[in-house]
Amino acid sequence: KRQMHIYSTCGVYYIQDETMSITSMIDRAKLAKEYITDEYLKPYTVFKNNMQDTYVDEMEICSEFEDGIAKREFQVYYQPKVDIRTGQIVGTEALARWIHNGEVIQPFRFIPTMERNGFIIHLDLYILKRVCEAINEWIEKGYKLVPISVNISRNDISGVGHDPRMLAERIIRIIKEYDIDPKYIIIEVTETTEASEQKDLYDFIKNMSEAGIATSIDDFGTGCSTLSVLRDFPVNEIKIDRSFINHEAFSTQDQIIIKSIIQMARQLNLNVITEGVETEEQARFLLELGCNHAQGYLYDKPLEQSAFESRL
Ligand code: C2E
Ligand code: CA
Ligand code: CA
């Protein structure tokens, strides 16, 4: 005998205008259903007018993404990673900005939409190509290069219709096409708690590792899979999430956790970097704990390509 749990979700539209077509009413109820965030705790939502506005907004944005890529409106900003002891640049992270109608649009305004509709893979691979171009330019100009981290969304790895091996192949192909030494690229991915996604993440990281491309676990310490990732995945770096050091009541508990993460990672021969470092005090503290690399406003904000070039 097998026990099964069945549950259902529901979108509600209260009829206000009785002349509205039944299809439109049902569409509104369906749209409301999209806004359910926790199907166990509250399996229904009621339609509100602003839901339709955000939906329309998203649709508009989506059609503009493609245009934006074609017109090269997406630019790469570079935020240095530094050695706390010397201030020297040891790497940099590529961060997307959308220059649209004369405005610099920050990622939080377009990345979540892109992740929801699957467009994000196009952006991520586009950013990788621009990074490869920049690397060749900098080599030609004679700069001493540092590895560049590129963010790859979880959605690219485990999203509907995506295959981690195919993604790895596409990344490897781009790096080859631009004739880039893989040692200059680090792929940043975030942890996952979902078992099926863990497998995809593992396959992806393994493929990267076999191609000589380093990987970094971004926002480390915010998921639950932390320890098994360190043990089982061939990653090269962990990036400790800024939430550990960047809140007002930085507690003894935080200190204990960060300290053990750093020690463990070092014993496993992984690079450790902490992001979101904003004060000297935080930097000193990280040094004491044995984390020598940091990224954050204390050193640099994300810089335009030309500004980063000067920094190099
Ligand atoms: P992330 O990968 O965790 O990137 C670090 C974010 O922290 C960046 O925000 C950076 O500007 C910000 N930051 C750096 N130093 C400090 C600091 O000292 N204090 C504080 N409070 N913040 C700091 P940004 O550039 O707005 O990017 C936000 C997120 O958007 C990124 O978080 C990443 O998840 C995503 N993102 C950005 N570019 C891309 C991309 O090309 N592809 C994908 N998939 N995601 C991207
Ligand atoms: Ca990142
Ligand atoms: Ca991060």
Side-chain angles (χ1 to χ4, degrees):
K1 215 158 69 180
R2 245 178 98 187
Q3 196 178 28
M4 298 181 89
H5 296 271
I6 297 174
Y7 52 91
S8 61
T9 56
C10 166
V12 180
Y13 174 64
Y14 287 118
I15 299 169
Q16 288 147 1
D17 171 4
E18 286 179 10
T19 61
M20 183 186 277
S21 73
I22 292 190
T23 325
S24 300
M25 293 177 187
I26 291 176
D27 279 347
R28 282 171 167 73
K30 272 188 187 159
L31 180 58
K33 199 161 74 80
E34 297 289 307
Y35 283 77
I36 292 173
T37 50
D38 190 330
E39 61 256 35
Y40 299 97
L41 283 180
K42 186 172 174 262
Y44 69 93
T45 34
V46 176
F47 176 83
K48 291 195 208 77
N49 279 323
N50 64 358
M51 286 180 179
Q52 205 169 21
D53 295 346
T54 51
Y55 188 65
V56 170
D57 271 349
E58 288 207 353
M59 295 307 284
E60 271 170 13
I61 291 178
C62 295
S63 65
E64 284 180 51
F65 287 154
E66 261 172 78
D67 243 32
I69 293 247
K71 292 192 204 144
R72 289 201 168 215
E73 288 183 345
F74 289 94
Q75 282 189 11
V76 186
Y77 276 45
Y78 294 89
Q79 186 179 31
K81 296 167 156 183
V82 303
D83 187 319
I84 302 175
R85 295 161 299 184
T86 60
Q88 277 220 323
I89 301 188
V90 294
T92 189
E93 176 177 9
L95 293 160
R97 296 289 182 272
W98 187 10
I99 320 294
H100 190 54
N101 298 331
E103 191 195 346
V104 181
I105 305 181
Q106 303 294 321
F108 77 90
R109 287 181 54 199
F110 56 87
I111 301 264
T113 312
M114 286 185 171
E115 285 184 329
R116 270 197 298 277
N117 67 21
F119 189 86
I120 188 74
I121 189 164
H122 301 296
L123 179 76
D124 287 345
L125 297 178
Y126 174 86
I127 297 287
L128 175 64
K129 288 179 190 166
R130 301 290 78 79
V131 164
C132 289
E133 264 172 20
I135 290 176
N136 281 331
E137 210 180 304
W138 289 328
I139 289 177
E140 210 165 279
K141 288 183 179 167
Y143 286 103
K144 189 166 167 278
L145 269 190
V146 290
I148 303 180
S149 305
V150 175
N151 289 289
I152 292 293
S153 165
R154 161 62 38 70
N155 192 287
D156 302 344
I157 301 171
S158 288
V160 184
H162 289 165
D163 172 343
R165 289 193 197 93
M166 225 128 86
L167 173 67
E169 257 171 45
R170 290 176 79 176
I171 291 174
I172 295 163
R173 207 180 317 131
I174 290 172
I175 294 175
K176 277 205 182 115
E177 244 167 51
Y178 283 85
D179 203 16
I180 302 291
D181 186 334
K183 73 176 182 196
Y184 290 128
I185 302 284
I186 299 175
I187 297 293
E188 273 190 25
V189 289
T190 52
E191 292 175 78
T192 174
T193 47
E194 176 70 54
S196 65
E197 288 189 359
Q198 280 251 352
K199 167 87 174 69
D200 288 344
L201 186 63
Y202 175 79
D203 288 343
F204 176 70
I205 290 178
K206 186 140 187 298
N207 278 285
M208 290 286 96
S209 161
E210 283 165 4
I213 301 165
T215 46
S216 172
I217 303 288
D218 201 359
D219 304 339
F220 190 84
T222 53
C224 299
S225 56
T226 312
L227 298 177
S228 64
V229 164
L230 285 190
R231 192 192 55 203
D232 303 329
F233 288 40
V235 293
N236 306 77
E237 178 186 82
I238 58 166
K239 209 170 183 189
I240 298 175
D241 191 64
R242 66 169 162 281
S243 63
F244 273 111
I245 54 162
N246 237 322
H247 57 93
E248 270 160 34
F250 186 66
S251 65
T252 338
Q253 271 95 333
D254 287 325
Q255 295 188 17
I256 293 170
I257 294 173
I258 289 204
K259 192 168 179 173
S260 11
I261 292 179
I262 293 170
Q263 281 172 353
M264 209 160 43
R266 292 188 71 176
Q267 278 164 10
L268 292 166
N269 265 327
L270 299 174
N271 291 326
V272 191
I273 177 162
T274 305
E275 65 177 9
V277 177
E278 293 180 349
T279 66
E280 291 285 356
E281 198 193 338
Q282 291 168 340
R284 262 197 308 277
F285 176 66
L286 288 174
L287 269 188
E288 272 169 35
L289 298 183
C291 174
N292 301 331
H293 293 169
Q295 190 185 22
Y297 296 162
L298 174 63
Y299 306 99
D300 299 274
K301 294 229 152 112
L303 306 168
E304 267 183 77
Q305 180 160 335
S306 57
F308 176 68
E309 219 173 287
S310 315
R311 182 79 164 79
L312 260 188

Coordinates of all heavy atoms in Angstrom, one line a residue, residues 206-257:
K206 N 31.6 19.3 -12.4 CA 32.5 18.2 -12.8 C 33.0 18.5 -14.3 O 34.2 18.4 -14.6 CB 31.9 16.9 -12.7 CG 32.8 15.7 -13.0 CD 32.5 14.6 -12.0 CE 33.6 13.5 -12.1 NZ 33.6 12.9 -13.4
N207 N 32.0 18.8 -15.1 CA 32.4 19.1 -16.5 C 33.3 20.3 -16.6 O 34.2 20.3 -17.4 CB 31.1 19.4 -17.3 CG 30.4 18.1 -17.8 OD1 30.9 17.5 -18.7 ND2 29.4 17.8 -17.2
M208 N 33.1 21.3 -15.8 CA 33.9 22.5 -15.8 C 35.3 22.1 -15.4 O 36.3 22.5 -16.0 CB 33.4 23.6 -14.9 CG 32.1 24.3 -15.3 SD 32.4 25.4 -16.7 CE 32.0 24.4 -18.1
S209 N 35.4 21.4 -14.3 CA 36.6 21.0 -13.7 C 37.5 20.1 -14.7 O 38.7 20.3 -14.9 CB 36.4 20.2 -12.5 OG 37.5 19.4 -12.1
E210 N 36.8 19.2 -15.5 CA 37.5 18.4 -16.5 C 38.1 19.3 -17.6 O 39.0 18.9 -18.2 CB 36.6 17.3 -17.0 CG 36.4 16.2 -16.0 CD 35.3 15.2 -16.3 OE1 34.6 15.4 -17.3 OE2 35.0 14.4 -15.4
A211 N 37.4 20.4 -17.8 CA 37.9 21.3 -18.9 C 38.9 22.3 -18.4 O 39.3 23.2 -19.1 CB 36.7 22.0 -19.6
G212 N 39.3 22.2 -17.1 CA 40.3 23.1 -16.6 C 39.7 24.5 -16.2 O 40.4 25.4 -16.1
I213 N 38.4 24.5 -16.1 CA 37.7 25.8 -15.7 C 37.4 25.8 -14.3 O 36.6 24.9 -13.8 CB 36.5 26.1 -16.6 CG1 36.9 26.1 -18.1 CG2 35.8 27.4 -16.2 CD1 35.7 26.0 -19.0
A214 N 37.8 26.8 -13.5 CA 37.6 26.8 -12.1 C 36.2 27.2 -11.8 O 35.5 28.0 -12.5 CB 38.6 27.7 -11.4
T215 N 35.6 26.7 -10.6 CA 34.3 27.1 -10.2 C 34.3 27.7 -8.8 O 35.2 27.3 -8.0 CB 33.3 26.0 -10.3 OG1 33.9 24.8 -9.6 CG2 32.9 25.6 -11.7
S216 N 33.4 28.5 -8.5 CA 33.3 29.1 -7.2 C 31.8 29.0 -6.7 O 30.9 29.2 -7.5 CB 33.7 30.6 -7.3 OG 33.4 31.3 -6.1
I217 N 31.7 28.7 -5.4 CA 30.3 28.6 -4.9 C 30.0 30.0 -4.3 O 30.6 30.4 -3.3 CB 30.1 27.5 -3.8 CG1 30.5 26.2 -4.4 CG2 28.7 27.5 -3.2 CD1 29.5 25.6 -5.3
D218 N 29.1 30.7 -4.9 CA 28.7 32.0 -4.6 C 27.7 32.0 -3.4 O 27.0 31.0 -3.1 CB 28.0 32.7 -5.8 CG 28.0 34.2 -5.7 OD1 28.5 34.7 -4.8 OD2 27.4 34.8 -6.7
D219 N 27.6 33.1 -2.6 CA 26.6 33.2 -1.5 C 26.8 32.0 -0.6 O 25.8 31.5 0.0 CB 25.2 33.3 -2.0 CG 25.0 34.4 -3.0 OD1 25.8 35.3 -3.0 OD2 24.0 34.3 -3.8
F220 N 28.0 31.5 -0.4 CA 28.2 30.3 0.4 C 27.7 30.5 1.9 O 28.0 31.6 2.5 CB 29.7 30.0 0.4 CG 30.0 28.7 1.0 CD1 29.9 27.5 0.3 CD2 30.3 28.5 2.4 CE1 30.1 26.3 0.8 CE2 30.5 27.3 2.9 CZ 30.4 26.1 2.2
G221 N 27.0 29.5 2.3 CA 26.5 29.6 3.7 C 25.1 30.0 3.8 O 24.5 30.0 4.9
T222 N 24.5 30.3 2.7 CA 23.1 30.7 2.8 C 22.1 29.5 2.5 O 21.0 29.5 2.9 CB 22.7 31.8 1.8 OG1 23.1 31.4 0.5 CG2 23.4 33.1 2.2
G223 N 22.7 28.4 1.8 CA 21.8 27.3 1.6 C 22.0 26.3 2.7 O 22.6 26.6 3.7
C224 N 21.6 25.0 2.5 CA 21.7 24.0 3.6 C 22.7 23.0 3.2 O 23.1 22.1 4.0 CB 20.4 23.4 3.9 SG 19.1 24.5 4.4
S225 N 23.1 23.0 1.9 CA 23.9 21.9 1.4 C 25.4 22.1 1.6 O 26.2 21.2 1.2 CB 23.6 21.8 -0.1 OG 23.9 23.0 -0.7
T226 N 25.7 23.2 2.2 CA 27.1 23.6 2.4 C 28.2 22.5 2.6 O 29.1 22.4 1.8 CB 27.1 24.4 3.7 OG1 26.1 25.4 3.6 CG2 28.4 25.1 3.9
L227 N 28.0 21.6 3.6 CA 29.1 20.7 3.9 C 29.2 19.7 2.8 O 30.4 19.4 2.4 CB 28.8 20.1 5.2 CG 28.8 21.1 6.3 CD1 28.5 20.5 7.7 CD2 30.1 21.9 6.4
S228 N 28.1 19.1 2.3 CA 28.3 18.1 1.3 C 28.9 18.6 0.0 O 29.6 18.0 -0.7 CB 27.0 17.4 1.0 OG 26.1 18.3 0.4
V229 N 28.6 19.9 -0.3 CA 29.2 20.5 -1.5 C 30.7 20.6 -1.4 O 31.4 20.2 -2.3 CB 28.7 22.0 -1.7 CG1 29.5 22.8 -2.6 CG2 27.2 21.9 -2.2
L230 N 31.2 20.9 -0.2 CA 32.6 21.0 0.0 C 33.3 19.6 -0.1 O 34.4 19.5 -0.7 CB 33.0 21.5 1.4 CG 32.8 23.0 1.7 CD1 33.3 23.4 3.0 CD2 33.4 23.8 0.6
R231 N 32.6 18.6 0.4 CA 33.2 17.3 0.4 C 33.1 16.7 -1.0 O 34.1 16.1 -1.5 CB 32.4 16.4 1.4 CG 33.1 15.1 1.6 CD 32.2 14.2 2.4 NE 30.9 14.0 1.6 CZ 29.8 13.6 2.2 NH1 29.7 13.4 3.5 NH2 28.7 13.5 1.5
D232 N 32.0 16.8 -1.7 CA 31.8 16.0 -2.9 C 32.0 16.7 -4.2 O 32.2 16.1 -5.3 CB 30.3 15.5 -2.9 CG 30.0 14.7 -1.7 OD1 30.9 14.1 -1.1 OD2 28.9 14.7 -1.3
F233 N 32.0 18.0 -4.2 CA 32.1 18.8 -5.5 C 33.5 19.3 -5.8 O 34.2 19.8 -4.9 CB 31.2 20.0 -5.5 CG 29.7 19.6 -5.6 CD1 29.2 18.5 -4.9 CD2 28.8 20.4 -6.3 CE1 27.9 18.2 -4.9 CE2 27.5 20.0 -6.4 CZ 27.0 18.9 -5.7
P234 N 34.0 19.1 -7.0 CA 35.3 19.6 -7.4 C 35.4 21.1 -7.6 O 35.7 21.5 -8.7 CB 35.7 18.8 -8.6 CG 34.4 18.5 -9.3 CD 33.4 18.4 -8.2
V235 N 35.0 21.9 -6.6 CA 35.0 23.3 -6.7 C 36.4 23.8 -6.3 O 37.1 23.2 -5.6 CB 33.9 24.0 -5.9 CG1 32.6 23.7 -6.4 CG2 34.0 23.7 -4.4
N236 N 36.7 25.1 -6.7 CA 38.0 25.7 -6.4 C 37.9 26.7 -5.4 O 38.9 27.1 -4.7 CB 38.6 26.2 -7.7 CG 38.7 25.2 -8.8 OD1 37.7 24.9 -9.4 ND2 39.8 24.6 -9.0
E237 N 36.7 27.4 -5.2 CA 36.7 28.5 -4.4 C 35.3 28.6 -3.7 O 34.3 28.1 -4.3 CB 36.8 29.8 -5.2 CG 36.7 31.1 -4.5 CD 36.8 32.3 -5.5 OE1 35.7 32.6 -6.0 OE2 37.8 32.9 -5.6
I238 N 35.2 29.1 -2.5 CA 33.9 29.4 -1.9 C 33.9 30.9 -1.6 O 35.0 31.5 -1.3 CB 33.6 28.6 -0.6 CG1 34.7 28.8 0.4 CG2 33.4 27.2 -1.0 CD1 34.2 28.3 1.8
K239 N 32.8 31.5 -1.8 CA 32.6 32.9 -1.6 C 31.6 33.1 -0.5 O 30.4 32.8 -0.7 CB 32.1 33.5 -2.9 CG 32.5 34.9 -3.1 CD 32.1 35.3 -4.5 CE 32.6 36.7 -4.8 NZ 32.1 37.2 -6.0
I240 N 32.1 33.5 0.7 CA 31.2 33.6 1.8 C 30.3 34.7 1.7 O 30.7 35.9 1.3 CB 32.1 33.7 3.1 CG1 33.0 32.5 3.3 CG2 31.2 33.9 4.3 CD1 33.9 32.5 4.4
D241 N 29.0 34.5 1.9 CA 28.0 35.4 1.7 C 28.1 36.7 2.6 O 28.5 36.5 3.7 CB 26.6 34.8 1.9 CG 25.5 35.7 1.4 OD1 25.4 36.0 0.2 OD2 24.7 36.2 2.3
R242 N 27.8 37.8 2.0 CA 28.0 39.0 2.8 C 27.1 39.1 4.0 O 27.4 39.8 4.9 CB 27.8 40.3 1.9 CG 26.4 40.5 1.3 CD 26.3 41.9 0.7 NE 25.2 42.0 -0.2 CZ 25.2 41.5 -1.4 NH1 26.3 40.9 -1.9 NH2 24.1 41.7 -2.2
S243 N 26.0 38.3 4.0 CA 25.1 38.4 5.2 C 25.8 38.0 6.5 O 25.4 38.4 7.5 CB 23.9 37.6 4.9 OG 24.2 36.2 4.8
F244 N 26.9 37.2 6.3 CA 27.6 36.8 7.5 C 28.3 37.9 8.2 O 28.4 38.0 9.5 CB 28.7 35.7 7.2 CG 28.1 34.3 7.2 CD1 27.9 33.6 6.0 CD2 27.7 33.8 8.4 CE1 27.4 32.4 6.0 CE2 27.1 32.5 8.4 CZ 27.0 31.8 7.2
I245 N 28.8 38.9 7.5 CA 29.6 39.9 8.1 C 28.9 41.3 8.1 O 29.2 42.2 8.8 CB 31.0 40.1 7.5 CG1 30.9 40.4 6.0 CG2 31.9 39.0 7.8 CD1 32.1 41.0 5.4
N246 N 27.8 41.4 7.2 CA 27.3 42.7 7.0 C 25.9 42.9 7.7 O 25.0 43.4 7.0 CB 27.1 42.9 5.5 CG 27.9 44.1 5.1 OD1 27.9 45.1 5.8 ND2 28.6 44.1 4.0
H247 N 25.8 42.6 8.9 CA 24.6 43.1 9.6 C 25.0 43.7 10.9 O 26.1 43.4 11.4 CB 23.6 42.0 9.7 CG 24.1 40.8 10.4 ND1 23.9 40.6 11.7 CD2 24.7 39.7 9.9 CE1 24.4 39.4 12.1 NE2 25.0 38.9 11.0
E248 N 24.1 44.5 11.5 CA 24.5 45.3 12.6 C 24.9 44.4 13.8 O 25.9 44.7 14.5 CB 23.4 46.2 13.0 CG 23.5 47.5 12.3 CD 22.2 48.3 12.2 OE1 21.4 48.2 13.2 OE2 22.0 49.0 11.2
A249 N 24.2 43.4 14.1 CA 24.5 42.6 15.3 C 25.4 41.4 14.9 O 24.9 40.2 14.9 CB 23.2 42.1 15.9
F250 N 26.6 41.7 14.5 CA 27.5 40.6 14.1 C 27.8 39.8 15.4 O 28.5 40.2 16.3 CB 28.8 41.2 13.5 CG 29.7 40.2 13.0 CD1 29.3 39.4 11.9 CD2 30.9 40.0 13.5 CE1 30.2 38.5 11.3 CE2 31.8 39.1 13.0 CZ 31.5 38.3 11.9
S251 N 27.3 38.6 15.5 CA 27.3 37.9 16.7 C 28.5 36.9 16.9 O 29.2 36.6 15.9 CB 26.0 37.1 16.8 OG 26.0 36.1 15.8
T252 N 28.6 36.4 18.1 CA 29.6 35.3 18.3 C 29.3 34.1 17.5 O 30.2 33.5 17.0 CB 29.6 34.9 19.8 OG1 29.0 35.9 20.6 CG2 31.0 34.6 20.3
Q253 N 28.0 33.8 17.3 CA 27.7 32.7 16.5 C 28.2 32.9 15.0 O 28.7 31.9 14.5 CB 26.1 32.5 16.4 CG 25.5 31.7 17.5 CD 25.1 32.5 18.7 OE1 25.6 33.6 18.9 NE2 24.1 32.1 19.4
D254 N 28.0 34.1 14.5 CA 28.5 34.3 13.1 C 30.0 34.1 13.1 O 30.5 33.5 12.1 CB 28.2 35.8 12.8 CG 26.8 36.1 12.5 OD1 26.1 35.2 12.0 OD2 26.3 37.2 12.8
Q255 N 30.7 34.6 14.1 CA 32.1 34.4 14.1 C 32.5 33.0 14.1 O 33.4 32.6 13.4 CB 32.7 35.1 15.4 CG 32.5 36.6 15.3 CD 33.2 37.3 16.5 OE1 34.2 36.7 17.1 NE2 32.9 38.5 16.7
I256 N 31.8 32.2 14.9 CA 32.2 30.8 15.0 C 32.0 30.1 13.7 O 32.8 29.3 13.2 CB 31.4 30.1 16.1 CG1 31.8 30.6 17.5 CG2 31.5 28.6 16.1 CD1 30.9 30.2 18.6
I257 N 30.8 30.4 13.1 CA 30.5 29.8 11.8 C 31.5 30.2 10.7 O 32.1 29.3 10.0 CB 29.1 30.2 11.3 CG1 28.1 29.5 12.3 CG2 28.8 29.7 9.9 CD1 26.6 30.0 12.0

